[in-house]
Amino acid sequence: MKLPILIHPDPRLKKVCAPVDDLSDELRTLAEDMLETMYDAPGVGLAAPQIGVLSRLIVLDCIKDEEEPPRPVVMFNPEVVASSDEKNVYEEGCLSIPEQFAEVTRPKVVDVRWIGMDGNEHSETFDGLWATCVQHEIDHLNGKLFIDYLGAMKRQLITRKMQKLKREKARA
Ligand code: NI
């Protein structure tokens, strides 16, 4: 089932999300719905607060090549356990901030630990777009958006655009 995505500014996008301590069927269904919502958008990542659920759950698939098979990844309680000194700059966007993009600098390589759909602990080293995306999504679980890395002027400009977009949507 496709879920509606919250648009910034929204107080739910600024909250620190609670850890998941029990992998219920409900949470697994939610993860499936989030993947469907992400692929439909389309996007490369989605965090639970973006659909109004304040739990530490993210989904991602950064395979951009249509020739390659998709790789849907579901992470409960994801954690960056190590990050490289080397940085990388990516032009980021966010499904909660539609059609706005800005360059963000983050560690190029990160080691991430999480609980998978199988209930087991997983860990993997991510690089490139995967590293950017997983850091962006984990930020969401801490109430942080990519525009929080920008200067105040740029952030306010984008926020005003989103407020206008929301007013237009409300009228439509
Ligand atoms: Ni985002």
Side-chain angles (χ1 to χ4, degrees):
M1 188 179 67
K2 233 182 81 186
L3 305 163
I5 299 173
L6 299 181
I7 303 297
H8 165 74
D10 186 296
R12 289 167 286 182
L13 294 173
K14 304 302 294 174
K15 298 274 196 266
V16 175
C17 297
V20 172
D21 46 28
D22 181 32
L23 269 200
S24 60
D25 286 347
E26 215 170 76
L27 272 171
R28 286 193 173 87
T29 303
L30 178 70
E32 295 286 358
D33 288 346
M34 282 172 58
L35 278 170
E36 188 184 335
T37 304
M38 177 192 81
Y39 284 124
D40 180 77
V44 292
L46 187 69
Q50 292 182 276
I51 46 116
V53 176
L54 301 181
S55 297
R56 302 189 81 81
L57 160 60
I58 64 173
V59 300
L60 56 160
D61 184 345
C62 299
I63 304 278
K64 285 212 144 171
D65 188 346
E66 306 239 318
E67 308 281 296
E68 269 187 73
R71 193 203 163 191
V73 178
V74 173
M75 298 181 175
F76 296 96
N77 301 338
E79 237 184 300
V80 173
V81 291
S83 37
S84 64
D85 291 332
E86 193 185 346
K87 307 285 190 218
N88 206 9
V89 180
Y90 252 108
E91 184 161 74
E92 296 190 22
C94 180
L95 294 176
S96 292
I97 310 173
E99 284 164 45
Q100 303 299 317
F101 302 92
E103 287 190 340
V104 178
T105 304
R106 300 183 187 268
K108 184 178 182 289
V109 184
V110 287
D111 294 340
V112 180
R113 191 166 55 201
W114 71 94
I115 305 293
M117 280 285 239
D118 55 6
N120 295 327
E121 191 175 290
H122 296 251
S123 65
E124 192 172 329
T125 301
F126 293 101
D127 195 348
L129 179 58
W130 283 91
T132 291
C133 184
V134 76
Q135 291 175 83
H136 173 123
E137 300 313 326
I138 291 174
D139 271 354
H140 273 297
L141 305 180
N142 296 316
K144 191 164 184 178
L145 303 172
F146 83 89
I147 56 170
D148 293 326
Y149 291 91
L150 311 178
M153 292 262 287
K154 185 109 201 261
R155 184 167 59 245
Q156 281 158 18
L157 182 72
I158 291 176
T159 299
R160 278 198 295 271
K161 278 186 191 166
M162 292 302 103
Q163 284 165 331
K164 185 162 173 271
L165 176 76
K166 286 174 87 171
R167 281 197 301 272
E168 284 165 2
K169 276 193 168 181
R171 270 201 298 267

